[in-house]
Amino acid sequence: MTTDPEPSAPPTADAGAPLGPDPDHDVTLDAAALRVLAHPVRLVMLNTLREHGASTARRLAKELDLDSGAASYHLRRLAAGGLIEEDEERGTRRDRWWRARHQRSYHDPATVAPDERQGSRAYANAVVLAYGDQLRRLAADVPLFPDDWFEASIFSDYSLSLTPGELEEMKRELVGVIAKYRTRGASSEGAEPAARVSVQLQMFPRL
């Protein structure tokens, strides 16, 4: 038995790919958005808004253990990058509410122009740091998992000898498997209850 914040960087942004973006709900990150998201705190904030809905800087600061001024700054940066927007129906001048504009982010490093690769790598670095922080926080929850979820989870690390082409092939195969379960609806009546599950080849419930 072995087991992100947002979700967030599938291997391809091609519309016909198994995990390709839905143009009505998802965003393919451009160079400006990559620069904004090259910070793990902003990634976590964005994924929090996507998963739990609109929030304020004060609420996010408390949840993520941040200074409220820092939370406000990061929210403004996310808004400037077109990733979130103010929920004007809920907010006030003193207590502004923010919501995510898209369900998921997509970035394919293979499509990046040579002069933009530094931004692509900085974004990937932030993604890794955000996932690492998620796992660090998860450590306190693992002993509390119900038995069925604990036994179904996986925390794994495999050491393989592969070429870039073989890694690309494996990536596409795994994405295809994930797509199969992504398109399934919620558990039907009478079936086992479903929960949000993170899949990184570590797989665990977000309970």
Side-chain angles (χ1 to χ4, degrees):
M1 196 287 321
T2 47
T3 286
D4 209 89
E6 159 308 9
S8 173
T12 180
D14 295 336
L19 289 185
D22 177 345
D24 294 328
H25 302 99
D26 304 338
V27 58
T28 298
L29 301 176
D30 59 17
L34 288 175
R35 287 193 293 271
V36 170
L37 291 179
H39 195 299
V41 170
R42 289 177 204 147
L43 277 171
V44 173
M45 294 181 80
L46 177 59
N47 288 334
T48 299
L49 291 174
R50 287 174 173 174
E51 184 143 355
H52 300 293
S55 188
T56 65
R58 187 181 308 173
R59 286 167 169 251
L60 288 169
K62 183 177 180 180
E63 181 173 351
L64 302 178
D65 194 24
L66 295 172
D67 176 85
S68 59
S72 294
Y73 169 75
H74 289 307
L75 286 168
R76 291 195 299 271
R77 294 286 289 126
L78 288 167
L83 297 162
I84 67 173
E85 62 188 3
E86 188 172 355
D87 187 347
E88 296 181 352
E89 295 182 358
R90 302 183 65 175
T92 64
R93 183 176 295 274
R94 295 186 59 186
D95 199 19
R96 302 166 73 184
W97 284 74
W98 299 92
R99 62 189 175 196
R101 295 186 58 194
H102 316 94
Q103 292 180 350
R104 284 172 296 269
S105 300
Y106 289 85
H107 174 60
D108 183 356
T111 66
V112 174
D115 60 344
E116 297 176 358
R117 286 177 183 167
Q118 184 175 355
S120 179
R121 290 178 182 270
Y123 167 70
N125 181 66
V127 169
V128 172
L129 290 173
Y131 286 166
D133 185 62
Q134 181 187 55
L135 289 174
R136 180 187 59 78
R137 289 183 281 108
L138 175 71
D141 295 333
V142 171
L144 307 178
F145 284 178
D147 287 345
D148 53 348
W149 281 111
F150 179 73
E151 293 163 5
S153 300
I154 178 171
F155 301 83
S156 60
D157 181 15
Y158 300 97
S159 180
L160 306 174
S161 180
L162 302 172
T163 66
E166 289 170 334
L167 182 59
E168 176 72 21
E169 182 180 359
M170 176 183 286
K171 178 176 68 176
R172 292 184 179 278
E173 289 176 356
L174 291 174
V175 164
V177 172
I178 293 169
K180 169 187 172 184
Y181 288 90
R182 177 183 174 188
T183 56
R184 292 174 59 172
S187 296
S188 58
E189 186 175 351
E192 292 181 294
R196 293 284 296 175
V197 173
S198 291
V199 179
Q200 302 170 11
L201 264 196
Q202 294 145 30
M203 304 186 338
F204 51 87
R206 295 180 178 178
L207 303 179

